[in-house]
Amino acid sequence: MKELIITNKILNWYDINKRSLPWRKKTSSKKKQYYTLVSEFMLQQTQVATVIPYFNRFIKEIPNLESLANCDNQKLIKLWEGLGYYSRVKNLKKTAQKVIKDFNQNLPDNFLDLKSLPGIGDYTASAILAIAFNKPIIPLDGNVERVLKRYLYLKNENEIEKKNLIKQKTFLGTSARASDYAQALMELGALICKPTNPYCEKCPITKKCKSFIKKDFKLSKFKKKNKEKYFLLKVYKKDNKYLLVKNKNFNFLKNFNIFPMEELIKPKNFEQNLNFKMSNMNMNIKIQNNKIIKPIPFSYWIDPKKLKNYTLPTFTKKIVTYLENYK
């Protein structure tokens, strides 16, 4: 009964306050499944506001699973350009191909089959089942985790472990409107139970929230340590153009065009020019200007004034911008 009250309160709040997002449009069940698949891949590691224009452009150009499965890789990367984590879009295409080949062109509606698809883990499978298929599942993203931690006042390491959060989320109950309820919980975390300065006065479940009662909204997190990595980035310039290579050496941005780079192991007197955060890596970069002595395999020249004409990762574009500004 308690769960039903919480469920209804959150759904009532959602019905009035939910954002109008392009993947939430009323449409056929087949399109809803496709929209959910694409949006969930895009939303991995990326905020909603950033995803919206990319999603709209992607759906316009690639409106269904069939066109995605057959899409030219260059076009696909261009549509994804700027979102980062490019393995996502490669896996998205592989998933479309596998669904067409192995599942009769229908996105599977069970956990194990969804998990067998490239790029789909526990969370994404749960989100697709809840949102696209109305299964009574609560996907545990960062927003829902925050609501749980605050409402139940979970602070120590054992309490905030993923397996405990999965166990504790049962108090949220379920709903016949499972699709709406999963999105309502995410929305509550995104709009109200924000990481800092939550809007408790607008929260539908604030009355029994332990963090609100104690007036302590600080969140406990597992501290992930980024690996410190050092790279020598080699700049070759000719006729105001820069040389790029197809990345065959590093796991990050595999097969994308980057500047020639060499990883340095614990260098001494390292004079850093640039720093990037990428996945779980803190990249310290030193720039070295070089002259070409012999041909470099898998390389080509780009004109910095025509950056928009090339399919390049944001990482490479930022380095070009830096070089142009500090030449």
Side-chain angles (χ1 to χ4, degrees):
M1 188 64 186
K2 190 194 295 180
E3 291 89 347
L4 190 59
I5 293 167
I6 284 176
T7 305
N8 287 340
K9 281 183 175 180
I10 292 171
L11 277 169
N12 289 340
W13 171 86
Y14 177 71
D15 289 338
I16 296 165
N17 297 285
K18 66 183 174 188
R19 288 172 289 183
S20 175
L21 301 175
W23 48 89
R24 286 182 184 162
K25 283 178 187 171
K26 283 193 175 180
T27 185
S28 67
S29 60
K30 186 94 171 171
K31 274 192 176 178
K32 184 174 185 177
Q33 290 164 26
Y34 180 61
Y35 288 2
T36 304
L37 178 72
V38 173
S39 62
E40 285 302 323
F41 266 76
M42 285 186 170
L43 288 163
Q44 291 169 8
Q45 312 276 351
T46 311
Q47 292 184 332
V48 168
T50 304
V51 165
I52 290 171
Y54 283 92
F55 177 87
N56 286 332
R57 190 162 60 247
F58 193 95
I59 292 298
K60 187 179 177 184
E61 294 286 328
I62 309 172
N64 52 47
L65 272 175
E66 292 78 9
S67 55
L68 173 56
N70 296 310
C71 185
D72 173 72
N73 284 339
Q74 198 73 1
K75 178 182 177 180
L76 206 57
I77 297 298
K78 194 70 183 168
L79 285 167
W80 202 271
E81 192 177 70
L83 271 179
Y85 300 96
Y86 288 91
S87 60
R88 291 181 294 175
V89 73
K90 292 175 182 176
N91 283 331
L92 184 58
K93 180 178 176 178
K94 287 177 190 170
T95 282
Q97 291 171 332
K98 194 167 165 58
V99 168
I100 286 167
K101 181 173 174 280
D102 298 342
F103 296 99
N104 196 28
Q105 303 189 19
N106 292 309
L107 198 62
D109 64 354
N110 69 80
F111 194 74
L112 288 178
D113 283 341
L114 279 171
K115 283 275 304 277
S116 75
L117 299 171
I120 294 184
D122 288 357
Y123 168 75
T124 303
S126 299
I128 290 169
L129 288 173
I131 297 167
F133 295 103
N134 201 44
K135 302 275 186 182
I137 295 168
I138 295 172
L140 204 57
D141 76 340
N143 292 314
V144 181
E145 283 189 11
R146 201 158 51 248
V147 172
L148 274 175
K149 287 178 188 176
R150 286 215 176 106
Y151 191 85
L152 299 174
Y153 201 70
L154 306 177
K155 290 283 188 181
N156 66 46
E157 280 205 8
N158 291 336
E159 290 174 333
I160 65 171
E161 271 183 348
K162 184 72 80 175
K163 63 181 179 183
N164 185 56
L165 293 175
I166 290 167
K167 188 174 154 189
Q168 295 291 349
K169 73 177 181 177
T170 54
F171 95 92
L172 291 165
T174 57
S175 168
R177 293 173 58 194
S179 176
D180 284 339
Y181 191 45
Q183 293 176 86
L185 285 163
M186 295 175 195
E187 201 81 327
L188 187 66
L191 301 183
I192 301 298
C193 200
K194 296 166 96 61
T196 55
N197 304 318
Y199 297 128
C200 298
E201 68 280 3
K202 295 180 180 178
C203 179
I205 56 170
T206 200
K207 199 173 178 182
K208 292 188 178 177
C209 172
K210 291 183 180 176
S211 288
F212 179 73
I213 292 164
K214 293 174 184 286
K215 296 292 182 278
D216 176 9
F217 305 106
K218 195 172 179 186
L219 295 159
S220 297
K221 287 183 182 176
F222 282 117
K223 287 180 182 174
K224 284 184 185 174
K225 214 173 181 185
N226 284 339
K227 290 177 188 171
E228 290 290 332
K229 297 267 191 176
Y230 300 87
F231 296 90
L232 183 65
L233 185 142
K234 298 170 183 179
V235 176
Y236 298 94
K237 197 170 184 183
K238 184 176 78 175
D239 301 328
N240 290 320
K241 292 181 179 178
Y242 295 106
L243 181 134
L244 299 181
V245 295
K246 193 169 188 178
N247 176 20
K248 300 282 185 183
N249 298 328
F250 305 109
N251 288 327
F252 62 88
L253 299 174
K254 196 84 169 174
N255 294 319
F256 283 90
N257 296 312
I258 63 171
F259 283 85
M261 289 170 68
E262 174 190 340
E263 184 174 355
L264 307 174
I265 309 301
K266 294 183 180 176
K268 292 180 179 177
N269 304 319
F270 186 81
E271 292 180 14
Q272 173 184 311
N273 299 105
L274 287 166
N275 177 270
F276 288 91
K277 303 280 188 295
M278 194 178 290
S279 298
N280 63 340
M281 182 171 47
N282 188 29
M283 298 178 73
N284 302 285
I285 295 172
K286 180 180 179 179
I287 291 172
Q288 182 183 79
N289 291 298
N290 291 333
K291 287 183 180 177
I292 287 191
I293 299 167
K294 59 182 180 179
I296 296 174
F298 305 108
S299 65
Y300 77 110
W301 297 90
I302 62 156
D303 184 345
K305 293 184 172 63
K306 297 178 181 175
L307 266 191
K308 286 184 180 177
N309 297 347
Y310 306 102
T311 303
L312 297 172
T314 303
F315 172 74
T316 300
K317 287 181 178 178
K318 283 184 176 177
I319 292 168
V320 172
T321 304
Y322 173 86
L323 293 171
E324 286 296 285
N325 288 338
Y326 292 94
K327 60 186 177 182

mmCIF file of all heavy atoms in Angstrom, residues 253-269:
data_model
loop_
_atom_site.group_PDB
_atom_site.id
_atom_site.type_symbol
_atom_site.label_atom_id
_atom_site.label_comp_id
_atom_site.label_asym_id
_atom_site.label_seq_id
_atom_site.Cartn_x
_atom_site.Cartn_y
_atom_site.Cartn_z
ATOM 1 N N LEU A 253 39.425 6.040 -29.086
ATOM 2 C CA LEU A 253 39.230 6.566 -30.448
ATOM 3 C C LEU A 253 39.868 5.658 -31.509
ATOM 4 O O LEU A 253 40.479 6.133 -32.459
ATOM 5 C CB LEU A 253 39.776 7.997 -30.553
ATOM 6 C CG LEU A 253 39.123 9.038 -29.641
ATOM 7 C CD1 LEU A 253 39.844 10.367 -29.734
ATOM 8 C CD2 LEU A 253 37.649 9.215 -29.978
ATOM 9 N N LYS A 254 39.679 4.362 -31.332
ATOM 10 C CA LYS A 254 40.248 3.373 -32.262
ATOM 11 C C LYS A 254 39.737 3.614 -33.677
ATOM 12 O O LYS A 254 38.547 3.814 -33.892
ATOM 13 C CB LYS A 254 39.855 1.975 -31.802
ATOM 14 C CG LYS A 254 40.660 0.857 -32.415
ATOM 15 C CD LYS A 254 41.938 0.651 -31.647
ATOM 16 C CE LYS A 254 42.654 -0.616 -32.059
ATOM 17 N NZ LYS A 254 43.946 -0.739 -31.408
ATOM 18 N N ASN A 255 40.651 3.625 -34.636
ATOM 19 C CA ASN A 255 40.356 3.798 -36.070
ATOM 20 C C ASN A 255 39.863 5.206 -36.442
ATOM 21 O O ASN A 255 39.423 5.422 -37.570
ATOM 22 C CB ASN A 255 39.356 2.748 -36.567
ATOM 23 C CG ASN A 255 39.952 1.353 -36.518
ATOM 24 O OD1 ASN A 255 41.114 1.161 -36.860
ATOM 25 N ND2 ASN A 255 39.172 0.387 -36.072
ATOM 26 N N PHE A 256 39.930 6.137 -35.501
ATOM 27 C CA PHE A 256 39.600 7.532 -35.816
ATOM 28 C C PHE A 256 40.885 8.298 -36.150
ATOM 29 O O PHE A 256 41.995 7.851 -35.838
ATOM 30 C CB PHE A 256 38.872 8.199 -34.644
ATOM 31 C CG PHE A 256 37.434 7.800 -34.555
ATOM 32 C CD1 PHE A 256 37.048 6.700 -33.806
ATOM 33 C CD2 PHE A 256 36.457 8.509 -35.236
ATOM 34 C CE1 PHE A 256 35.720 6.311 -33.740
ATOM 35 C CE2 PHE A 256 35.126 8.136 -35.178
ATOM 36 C CZ PHE A 256 34.759 7.038 -34.431
ATOM 37 N N ASN A 257 40.682 9.440 -36.779
ATOM 38 C CA ASN A 257 41.834 10.247 -37.197
ATOM 39 C C ASN A 257 42.296 11.162 -36.063
ATOM 40 O O ASN A 257 41.520 11.981 -35.570
ATOM 41 C CB ASN A 257 41.471 11.067 -38.430
ATOM 42 C CG ASN A 257 41.163 10.174 -39.622
ATOM 43 O OD1 ASN A 257 41.916 9.267 -39.918
ATOM 44 N ND2 ASN A 257 40.048 10.412 -40.274
ATOM 45 N N ILE A 258 43.534 10.983 -35.667
ATOM 46 C CA ILE A 258 44.119 11.770 -34.580
ATOM 47 C C ILE A 258 45.514 12.237 -35.017
ATOM 48 O O ILE A 258 46.034 11.802 -36.045
ATOM 49 C CB ILE A 258 44.213 10.962 -33.262
ATOM 50 C CG1 ILE A 258 45.157 9.757 -33.426
ATOM 51 C CG2 ILE A 258 42.842 10.505 -32.791
ATOM 52 C CD1 ILE A 258 45.486 9.028 -32.132
ATOM 53 N N PHE A 259 46.119 13.097 -34.208
ATOM 54 C CA PHE A 259 47.506 13.466 -34.447
ATOM 55 C C PHE A 259 48.398 12.276 -34.067
ATOM 56 O O PHE A 259 48.052 11.507 -33.157
ATOM 57 C CB PHE A 259 47.901 14.683 -33.608
ATOM 58 C CG PHE A 259 47.391 15.981 -34.151
ATOM 59 C CD1 PHE A 259 46.115 16.425 -33.851
ATOM 60 C CD2 PHE A 259 48.188 16.766 -34.982
ATOM 61 C CE1 PHE A 259 45.628 17.616 -34.363
ATOM 62 C CE2 PHE A 259 47.725 17.955 -35.497
ATOM 63 C CZ PHE A 259 46.442 18.389 -35.194
ATOM 64 N N PRO A 260 49.544 12.107 -34.730
ATOM 65 C CA PRO A 260 50.467 11.042 -34.311
ATOM 66 C C PRO A 260 50.845 11.232 -32.842
ATOM 67 O O PRO A 260 51.179 12.348 -32.427
ATOM 68 C CB PRO A 260 51.682 11.244 -35.222
ATOM 69 C CG PRO A 260 51.172 12.019 -36.393
ATOM 70 C CD PRO A 260 50.062 12.881 -35.864
ATOM 71 N N MET A 261 50.749 10.160 -32.066
ATOM 72 C CA MET A 261 51.013 10.246 -30.632
ATOM 73 C C MET A 261 51.841 9.064 -30.158
ATOM 74 O O MET A 261 51.790 7.991 -30.735
ATOM 75 C CB MET A 261 49.684 10.284 -29.848
ATOM 76 C CG MET A 261 48.911 11.572 -30.004
ATOM 77 S SD MET A 261 47.238 11.437 -29.306
ATOM 78 C CE MET A 261 47.618 11.302 -27.567
ATOM 79 N N GLU A 262 52.537 9.321 -29.067
ATOM 80 C CA GLU A 262 53.349 8.264 -28.451
ATOM 81 C C GLU A 262 53.123 8.334 -26.949
ATOM 82 O O GLU A 262 53.193 9.413 -26.354
ATOM 83 C CB GLU A 262 54.819 8.527 -28.795
ATOM 84 C CG GLU A 262 55.812 7.615 -28.134
ATOM 85 C CD GLU A 262 57.250 8.102 -28.337
ATOM 86 O OE1 GLU A 262 57.505 8.887 -29.275
ATOM 87 O OE2 GLU A 262 58.107 7.706 -27.531
ATOM 88 N N GLU A 263 52.805 7.196 -26.334
ATOM 89 C CA GLU A 263 52.618 7.197 -24.879
ATOM 90 C C GLU A 263 53.973 7.141 -24.185
ATOM 91 O O GLU A 263 54.861 6.382 -24.580
ATOM 92 C CB GLU A 263 51.762 6.006 -24.434
ATOM 93 C CG GLU A 263 51.472 6.061 -22.937
ATOM 94 C CD GLU A 263 50.509 5.010 -22.443
ATOM 95 O OE1 GLU A 263 49.956 4.253 -23.267
ATOM 96 O OE2 GLU A 263 50.306 4.950 -21.216
ATOM 97 N N LEU A 264 54.135 7.973 -23.155
ATOM 98 C CA LEU A 264 55.362 8.011 -22.362
ATOM 99 C C LEU A 264 55.086 7.415 -20.989
ATOM 100 O O LEU A 264 54.061 7.729 -20.365
ATOM 101 C CB LEU A 264 55.855 9.456 -22.217
ATOM 102 C CG LEU A 264 56.037 10.249 -23.522
ATOM 103 C CD1 LEU A 264 56.384 11.690 -23.212
ATOM 104 C CD2 LEU A 264 57.109 9.621 -24.394
ATOM 105 N N ILE A 265 55.947 6.586 -20.519
ATOM 106 C CA ILE A 265 55.753 5.950 -19.208
ATOM 107 C C ILE A 265 56.544 6.701 -18.139
ATOM 108 O O ILE A 265 57.776 6.765 -18.188
ATOM 109 C CB ILE A 265 56.182 4.461 -19.243
ATOM 110 C CG1 ILE A 265 55.525 3.719 -20.416
ATOM 111 C CG2 ILE A 265 55.854 3.773 -17.916
ATOM 112 C CD1 ILE A 265 54.014 3.727 -20.415
ATOM 113 N N LYS A 266 55.817 7.293 -17.211
ATOM 114 C CA LYS A 266 56.404 8.048 -16.090
ATOM 115 C C LYS A 266 57.559 8.956 -16.522
ATOM 116 O O LYS A 266 58.704 8.783 -16.081
ATOM 117 C CB LYS A 266 56.876 7.087 -14.996
ATOM 118 C CG LYS A 266 55.739 6.329 -14.331
ATOM 119 C CD LYS A 266 56.225 5.450 -13.208
ATOM 120 C CE LYS A 266 55.074 4.707 -12.563
ATOM 121 N NZ LYS A 266 55.514 3.757 -11.521
ATOM 122 N N PRO A 267 57.286 9.898 -17.411
ATOM 123 C CA PRO A 267 58.368 10.771 -17.899
ATOM 124 C C PRO A 267 58.832 11.752 -16.827
ATOM 125 O O PRO A 267 58.061 12.157 -15.958
ATOM 126 C CB PRO A 267 57.697 11.520 -19.056
ATOM 127 C CG PRO A 267 56.253 11.563 -18.685
ATOM 128 C CD PRO A 267 55.975 10.289 -17.947
ATOM 129 N N LYS A 268 60.075 12.145 -16.902
ATOM 130 C CA LYS A 268 60.618 13.153 -15.972
ATOM 131 C C LYS A 268 60.576 14.517 -16.646
ATOM 132 O O LYS A 268 60.729 14.621 -17.865
ATOM 133 C CB LYS A 268 62.047 12.789 -15.570
ATOM 134 C CG LYS A 268 62.113 11.538 -14.696
ATOM 135 C CD LYS A 268 63.540 11.220 -14.314
ATOM 136 C CE LYS A 268 63.573 9.976 -13.415
ATOM 137 N NZ LYS A 268 64.946 9.585 -13.084
ATOM 138 N N ASN A 269 60.383 15.555 -15.851
ATOM 139 C CA ASN A 269 60.345 16.944 -16.356
ATOM 140 C C ASN A 269 59.381 17.101 -17.540
ATOM 141 O O ASN A 269 59.733 17.646 -18.585
ATOM 142 C CB ASN A 269 61.756 17.389 -16.786
ATOM 143 C CG ASN A 269 62.757 17.235 -15.658
ATOM 144 O OD1 ASN A 269 62.454 17.544 -14.508
ATOM 145 N ND2 ASN A 269 63.942 16.743 -15.982
#
